[in-house]
Amino acid sequence: MARIKTDNNLTRKEVIVTKAATLFREKGFKAASMRDLAEAVGVEAASLYNHIKSKTELLHELCFSVANRFLHKIDEVELEKTSSVEKIEKLLRFHINEMIHHYEEVYVSDREWKHLSDPYLSNFQNQRRIYRKRFAAIIETGIKNKEIKSIDAPTAVLIMLHAISGIESWHRSVQKISAEELEENMISILVGGLVNR
Amino acid sequence: MARIKTDNNLTRKEVIVTKAATLFREKGFKAASMRDLAEAVGVEAASLYNHIKSKTELLHELCFSVANRFLHKIDEVELEKTSSVEKIEKLLRFHINEMIHHYEEVYVSDREWKHLSDPYLSNFQNQRRIYRKRFAAIIETGIKNKEIKSIDAPTAVLIMLHAISGIESWHRSVQKISAEELEENMISILVGGLVNR
DNA sequence: ATAACATACTAACGTGTGTTAGCGATAAAA
DNA sequence: TTTTATCGCTAACACACGTTAGTATGTTAT
């Protein structure tokens, strides 16, 4: 009888969630079926329900675990006694590394959150809105300090975050530059576009 | 008996494609059903098939009409006798305006092309790859000229294109700055991040 | 060894999907 | 007005989906 392998002291549920992330990234949430997921896990579809409540629960877990990581990071960064540009750079580097090392989850959280259903959907949208506002506030401070050139802060946030989601293309490309080079290039362009010269 | 309205000398098929774009953007290609589309058009689902061959055909039309517009533009820009930075700025402004004024189509083409099926899928991916290479080549030239700082050109392209797709958030936001302000802010940040100082 | 539990299986359900066939209604051409 | 082509309808199809019920198998604790 097939059994879900649990290497590296992961629970069976965690194995499922991880495989779900890969699948949701590859095919999209709607197009990925529970039968697909079952096959990836090595089990029959119905067996998954011994470990999870529903397909949507998988999406919840993915979206909110990612969102929480970003919220904790901005909590931390806001408290630091550094310049605005340093704070922004720190956040960007965190985003970049999350996108590099937790690609599947972050990507799914970014692109598939629309398929959350409603207590969770509004919640997620709220967290997202608040996060962006706090990010924009850091930029605003930098503009007042003359560290950063006079631009519309929400637009800047939107550019930064979406630019980073482009790391998706890096992952898919055959000839990759190294992760470190990628990080430095992105920081150079993005921070370079903000600062007063 | 209900009939598809064709204002502004559009064919009935064009009306369907346009509504499909809106629907695919809102719900995603897979989650948007032909019955949803039929309701949006004001007709029964089966009636749509008097005008289109399949659901996927709708996606083809959207993806390739967008792709062709970008390819024609880069054809035009490459021929101009201007600096690399001017060429890039021109392309970026085109991208920005496409994203502002043909939001639905461009967004769908960007996010839902994965659901194309295979003669079209490879074709689309090819066009996309080639476009990005040509864009990167312009940047490379700019780097050799010392117009542009020494960065990895493919990474720069990826940042630019994804940053612009963030205009999606601008469309959804309640308090929008004007389209002109948006354009100038984006250009300022993106071009500012590239140029040598 | 036995009891208790966790996990996987088969079978099936109701529902929603894209799409086709065939028929009536409307509009355009003769 | 008659003919013809266009367009929309109802009904139905075959299929894939998420999920549940009930049962068998394997694992852990007594």
Tab-separated table of all heavy atoms in Angstrom, chain B residues 11 21 71 178:
chain	number	residue	atom	x	y	z
B	11	THR	N	-17.469	43.513	-35.176
B	11	THR	CA	-18.147	42.261	-35.482
B	11	THR	C	-18.610	41.631	-34.179
B	11	THR	O	-18.124	41.973	-33.104
B	11	THR	CB	-17.218	41.269	-36.197
B	11	THR	OG1	-16.222	40.843	-35.265
B	11	THR	CG2	-16.533	41.929	-37.386
B	21	ALA	N	-11.834	39.026	-22.662
B	21	ALA	CA	-10.645	39.622	-22.053
B	21	ALA	C	-10.943	40.080	-20.632
B	21	ALA	O	-10.205	39.783	-19.692
B	21	ALA	CB	-10.148	40.793	-22.897
B	71	LEU	N	5.743	43.499	-31.053
B	71	LEU	CA	6.764	43.192	-32.051
B	71	LEU	C	6.857	44.281	-33.116
B	71	LEU	O	7.952	44.682	-33.511
B	71	LEU	CB	6.475	41.830	-32.694
B	71	LEU	CG	6.865	40.640	-31.811
B	71	LEU	CD1	6.375	39.329	-32.399
B	71	LEU	CD2	8.382	40.592	-31.610
B	178	SER	N	-3.044	60.413	-11.964
B	178	SER	CA	-3.432	60.429	-13.377
B	178	SER	C	-2.519	59.514	-14.188
B	178	SER	O	-1.407	59.181	-13.763
B	178	SER	CB	-3.339	61.851	-13.928
B	178	SER	OG	-1.982	62.181	-14.164
